[in-house]
């Protein structure tokens, strides 16, 4: 960005005299215009330096006050007045007024034609802009070659920092340093030190298009930090942070920085799509494995060999954790937003869990917000690890994670069982009045098969199966029911039943015959026996 003061310091413009305070001439300068009309401010763009002979003001220069006010309101860069043709000198009152309103006035000598001065100044501005543009295009070509040659993100950031001779940091959506230039290898403080300061001053800096703030260096001296949004994702972008941005050497321009962030966005997007393709293959493999393992009479398969590419290893413990993510946000209903939340959650779990759990492998489910985590080694502190990882993500991005835990199995052939348990635990936890973050699968008995049946249906089944023994009130009938239950529990062995009830064997025989008579069926029939066991179990609560 060039200012009027910069132009006046060029040797070829040394005959021009700045009559007001130099600090007023630090306004941006983008264009030059010549005019003698008093309403010119309506027809010129901002940041224009106006040249004039002040012909219409020769009788009363104080009328220049109005022109100065209109130009200042237009954010003009300044006013150049040629002397010697219509006015011999610029009135001191005009200079005083310009100083008062902080607007720059430049005196142009008679020897310089305004037309020639216009062309010289425009050529100077255009040459500088062309140089900046060419430099930016050179940067784009260089970075495009890096993109084609698939250089790493660390290499890209290191080269960019070397190009602009300024420390550079790439920050991911979690506000973590993803890569930094080589400048930090020679300092006592890492890149994270400056990002922590930046986050304290501007907690939402990652989401901003571009901005600048002052932070302190190691000597507690303030310096400028600028940051630019890098958007492979719409709702959760990365951020390119440039330290000492005011010291970036010429001819690096904002356009060059924008080109760098654009190419960087392409690199991140390409890497993201490659990873998504691999994750899709993992999902297909995992779903197929679960389906096959649930089929009856399945043929043996070498799941270790088939799943080696996807992180499966030989181990003594296999356990599936069913995970899901959600975020409370105004944009939560947007599909793109949900996809980005899901991707961020999956990547977070993939990165964090690999540091705490040996040989862990993650798989996306058909529902993009749900994942399967396969833990392949025994981990005593699993619940604590999951809670810490989930809490950290919630604090960073307000994304909540929940987990359903399956049981541990010794064979890879049983991953399907652990998956069903984990998913069941996840679904059951949402039926609780207070939904926990982590829920362990509870082993179920035969009673659980009837949990979703209505009370009247269960009562009907019990009464049809047990008749008067379903809900007895008389002591004799209660004793018969008790004998029948013990008899069936001891696999219809009379001796063991008699011993358990402290009665004679013949007493047991007699009571079982009575039970058969009441029920109207042979209690030794396998089908009848199963119905009786179920009915006794289901009616137990009303008989205790």
């Amino acid at each position: 960005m060039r200012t009027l003061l910069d132009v006046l310091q060029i040797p070829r413009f040394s005959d021009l005299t700045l009559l007001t305070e130099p600090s007023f001439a630090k306004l941006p300068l983008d264009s030059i215009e010549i005019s003698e009309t008093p309403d010119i401010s309506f027809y010129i763009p901002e940041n224009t330096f106006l040249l004039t002979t002040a012909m219409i003001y020769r009788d009363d220069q104080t009328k220049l006050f109005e022109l100065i006010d209109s130009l200042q309101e237009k954010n003009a860069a300044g006013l150049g007045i040629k002397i010697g043709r219509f006015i011999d000198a610029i009135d001191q009152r005009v200079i005083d007024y310009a100083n008062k309103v902080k607007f720059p006035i430049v005196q142009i000598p008679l020897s310089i034609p305004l037309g020639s001065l216009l062309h010289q100044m425009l050529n100077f501005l255009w040459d500088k802009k062309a140089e900046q543009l060419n430099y930016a295009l050179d940067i784009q070509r260089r970075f495009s070659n890096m993109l084609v040659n698939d250089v790493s993100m660390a290499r890209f950031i290191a080269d960019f920092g070397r190009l602009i001779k300024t420390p550079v940091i790439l920050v991911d959506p979690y506000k973590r340093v993803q890569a930094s230039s080589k400048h930090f290898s020679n300092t006592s403080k890492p890149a994270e030190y400056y990002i922590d300061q930046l986050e304290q001053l501007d907690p939402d800096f990652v989401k901003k298009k571009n901005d600048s703030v002052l932070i302190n260096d190691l000597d507690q001296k303030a310096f400028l930090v600028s940051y630019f949004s890098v958007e492979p994702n719409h709702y959760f972008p990365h951020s390119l942070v440039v330290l000492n941005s005011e010291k970036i050497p010429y001819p690096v321009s904002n356009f060059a920085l924008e080109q760098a962030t654009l190419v960087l966005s392409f690199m991140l997007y390409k890497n993201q799509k490659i990873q998504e393709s691999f994750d899709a293959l993992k999902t297909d493999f995992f779903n197929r494995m679960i389906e096959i393992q649930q089929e009856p009479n399945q043929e043996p398969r070498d799941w270790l060999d088939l799943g080696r590419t996807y992180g499966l290893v030989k181990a003594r413990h296999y356990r599936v954790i069913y995970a899901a993510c959600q975020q409370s946000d105004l944009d939560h209903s947007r599909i793109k937003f949900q996809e980005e939340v899901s991707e961020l959650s999956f990547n977070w779990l993939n990165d964090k869990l690999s540091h705490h759990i040996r040989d862990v492998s993650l798989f996306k489910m058909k529902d993009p917000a749900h994942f399967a985590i396969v833990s392949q080694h025994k981990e005593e502190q699993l619940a604590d690890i999951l809670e810490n990882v989930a809490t950290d993500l919630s604090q960073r991005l307000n994304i909540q994670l929940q987990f359903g835990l399956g049981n541990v199995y010794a064979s890879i052939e049983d991953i399907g069982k652990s998956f069903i348990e984990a998913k069941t635990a996840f679904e059951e936890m949402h039926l609780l009045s207070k939904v926990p973050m982590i829920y362990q699968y509870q082993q179920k008995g035969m009673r659980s098969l009837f949990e979703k049946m209505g009370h009247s249906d269960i009562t009907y089944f019990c009464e049809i199966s047990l008749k008067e023994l379903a809900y007895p009130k008389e002591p004799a009938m209660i004793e018969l029911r008790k004998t029948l239950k013990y008899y069936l529990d001891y696999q219809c062995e009379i001796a063991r039943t008699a011993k358990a009830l402290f009665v004679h064997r013949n007493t047991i025989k007699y009571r079982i015959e009575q039970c058969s008579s009441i029920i109207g069926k042979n209690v030794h029939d396998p089908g009848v026996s199963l119905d009786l066991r179920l009915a006794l179990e289901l009616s137990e609560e009303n008989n205790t």
Side-chain angles (χ1 to χ4, degrees):
M1 179 186 70
R2 290 291 170 179
T3 67
L4 178 60
L5 187 61
D6 294 332
V7 173
L8 296 177
Q9 292 174 346
I10 303 299
R12 76 178 81 164
F13 302 123
S14 59
D15 289 338
L16 306 182
T17 304
L18 181 62
L19 301 180
T20 52
E21 288 291 329
S23 60
F24 304 158
K26 293 183 178 181
L27 300 173
L29 177 59
D30 293 334
S31 182
I32 315 294
E33 296 286 347
I34 297 177
S35 180
E36 301 295 344
T37 58
D39 61 347
I40 186 60
S41 63
F42 293 105
Y43 307 104
I44 59 174
E46 294 184 351
N47 306 327
T48 295
F49 180 47
L50 179 64
L51 307 179
T52 182
T53 62
M55 175 181 64
I56 63 173
Y57 302 105
R58 57 187 172 185
D59 296 328
D60 185 4
Q61 290 191 32
T62 58
K63 292 183 179 180
L64 281 168
F65 296 175
E66 295 181 10
L67 177 63
I68 291 172
D69 289 340
S70 66
L71 291 175
Q72 188 174 45
E73 186 176 350
K74 190 67 176 181
N75 294 323
L79 175 64
I81 302 175
K82 182 176 180 177
I83 60 173
R85 185 173 181 188
F86 295 105
I87 59 174
D88 295 328
I90 299 175
D91 196 316
Q92 185 62 42
R93 290 175 297 175
V94 175
I95 300 172
D96 291 342
Y97 183 78
N99 275 318
K100 179 182 177 181
V101 298
K102 300 180 180 180
F103 187 78
I105 298 292
V106 176
Q107 179 177 287
I108 304 171
L110 179 63
S111 59
I112 299 179
L114 292 187
S116 175
L117 180 61
L118 170 71
H119 289 297
Q120 289 183 36
M121 284 189 164
L122 286 176
N123 286 336
F124 173 77
L125 292 178
W126 290 340
D127 285 344
K128 295 302 179 183
K129 290 184 180 295
E131 186 178 357
Q132 289 180 334
L133 179 61
N134 288 332
Y135 183 81
L137 293 175
D138 288 341
I139 286 181
Q140 186 185 41
R141 281 192 289 269
R142 179 165 181 170
F143 288 165
S144 295
N145 289 334
M146 291 184 182
L147 180 62
V148 171
N149 293 324
D150 197 27
V151 301
S152 66
M153 202 60 60
R155 165 78 181 282
F156 180 92
I157 294 298
D159 281 4
F160 184 52
R162 186 164 56 251
L163 271 173
I164 66 175
K165 299 180 174 60
T166 306
V168 177
I169 307 169
L170 179 65
V171 181
D172 65 18
Y174 313 105
K175 301 177 186 176
R176 301 179 305 180
V177 174
Q178 183 170 341
S180 59
S181 59
K182 300 298 183 181
H183 297 81
F184 298 98
S185 59
N186 299 321
T187 63
S188 59
K189 295 290 186 181
E192 287 78 4
Y193 170 79
Y194 300 97
I195 298 304
D196 288 344
Q197 286 198 63
L198 178 56
E199 186 177 359
Q200 292 176 11
L201 294 171
D202 189 355
D204 294 324
F205 76 93
V206 175
K207 295 184 177 181
K208 291 188 176 179
K209 207 73 175 172
N210 58 73
D211 206 345
S212 299
V213 296
L214 290 172
I215 66 174
N216 294 326
D217 61 13
L218 298 179
D219 299 323
Q220 297 303 307
K221 293 181 179 179
F223 68 96
L224 189 65
V225 173
S226 299
Y227 37 96
F228 307 85
S229 181
V230 180
E231 300 182 355
N233 295 315
H234 177 70
Y235 294 98
F236 299 92
H238 288 61
S239 184
L240 184 66
V241 180
V242 181
L243 275 59
N244 291 314
S245 52
E246 78 281 5
K247 296 182 180 179
I248 294 179
Y250 181 82
V252 179
S253 64
N254 284 336
F255 181 68
L257 290 170
E258 290 171 2
Q259 290 300 305
T261 58
L262 179 61
V263 174
L264 192 56
S265 295
F266 281 134
M267 291 184 68
L268 289 167
Y269 183 77
K270 183 194 71 170
N271 293 341
Q272 180 177 303
K273 290 304 174 183
I274 292 173
Q275 185 60 46
E276 286 178 4
S277 298
F278 179 69
D279 291 339
L281 294 176
K282 289 182 67 177
T283 298
D284 291 341
F285 165 79
F286 186 80
N287 288 336
R288 183 61 180 153
M289 181 176 69
I290 297 301
E291 289 174 4
I292 292 175
Q293 290 187 358
Q294 293 179 52
E295 293 175 356
N297 303 319
Q298 57 178 288
E299 296 182 3
R301 301 203 181 200
D302 190 350
W303 293 115
L304 282 176
D305 184 56
L306 295 171
R308 197 178 311 277
T309 304
Y310 307 119
L312 296 185
V313 300
K314 186 177 182 179
R316 296 181 179 179
H317 300 83
Y318 294 94
R319 183 182 210 172
V320 176
I321 304 149
Y322 195 90
C325 64
Q326 62 178 0
Q327 192 202 48
S328 301
D329 194 279
L330 294 176
D331 292 312
H332 71 280
S333 61
R334 297 178 182 268
I335 295 177
K336 178 62 175 174
F337 178 83
Q338 293 174 341
E339 290 175 350
E340 291 187 16
V341 168
S342 176
E343 193 66 26
L344 285 170
S345 301
F346 182 81
N347 292 337
W348 178 262
L349 288 170
N350 212 8
D351 177 49
K352 287 295 183 179
L353 293 181
S354 63
H355 289 88
H356 298 285
I357 304 175
R358 181 182 170 190
D359 293 322
V360 66
S361 187
L362 274 73
F363 300 86
K364 295 179 179 177
M365 297 288 94
K366 292 180 180 179
D367 185 332
H370 292 218
F371 324 112
I373 305 168
V374 180
S375 174
Q376 302 174 89
H377 285 277
K378 190 174 183 179
E379 179 53 65
E380 299 291 349
Q381 306 299 322
L382 179 61
D384 291 338
I385 292 172
L386 294 176
E387 183 176 353
N388 291 336
V389 169
T391 300
D392 195 2
L393 180 61
S394 177
Q395 292 173 347
R396 291 173 183 269
L397 295 179
N398 193 29
I399 297 176
Q400 285 73 45
L401 293 172
Q402 295 174 321
F403 307 93
L405 307 186
N407 288 322
V408 176
Y409 289 87
S411 172
I412 195 172
E413 300 286 344
D414 294 322
I415 285 181
K417 295 178 182 176
S418 188
F419 172 78
I420 295 299
E421 293 170 353
K423 187 176 181 181
T424 301
F426 178 82
E427 293 170 348
E428 288 181 347
M429 70 189 288
H430 288 86
L431 300 176
L432 303 176
S433 57
K434 184 177 181 182
V435 180
M437 179 187 293
I438 303 169
Y439 189 72
Q440 170 68 51
Y441 173 76
Q442 305 296 323
Q443 196 67 39
K444 295 176 173 54
M446 62 180 179
R447 287 181 57 85
S448 63
L449 300 175
F450 296 86
E451 285 179 352
K452 295 184 179 180
M453 289 182 61
H455 178 71
S456 59
D457 293 331
I458 293 175
T459 301
Y460 173 78
F461 171 75
C462 293
E463 290 178 343
I464 287 294
S465 301
L466 294 170
K467 302 295 192 294
E468 291 89 345
L469 297 179
Y471 304 103
K473 301 296 183 182
E474 299 176 3
M477 298 297 285
I478 293 174
E479 195 65 29
L480 283 177
R481 174 190 167 93
K482 180 179 178 182
T483 301
L484 177 61
K485 187 175 188 312
Y486 272 76
Y487 185 68
L488 294 175
D489 287 346
Y490 285 115
Q491 310 302 319
C492 299
E493 293 185 18
I494 294 175
R496 292 178 63 192
T497 306
K499 185 177 180 181
L501 293 176
F502 303 101
V503 297
H504 195 273
R505 290 165 50 92
N506 292 335
T507 302
I508 298 300
K509 288 182 180 181
Y510 174 72
R511 290 180 179 177
I512 295 303
E513 289 175 359
Q514 282 187 296
C515 289
S516 295
S517 176
I518 293 171
I519 295 170
K521 295 178 182 178
N522 182 7
V523 299
H524 298 99
D525 181 88
V528 174
S529 176
L530 176 60
D531 287 344
L532 295 177
R533 290 173 186 270
L534 290 173
L536 286 167
E537 181 69 23
L538 292 171
S539 60
E540 186 67 22
E541 289 185 5
N542 292 340
N543 290 287
T544 56

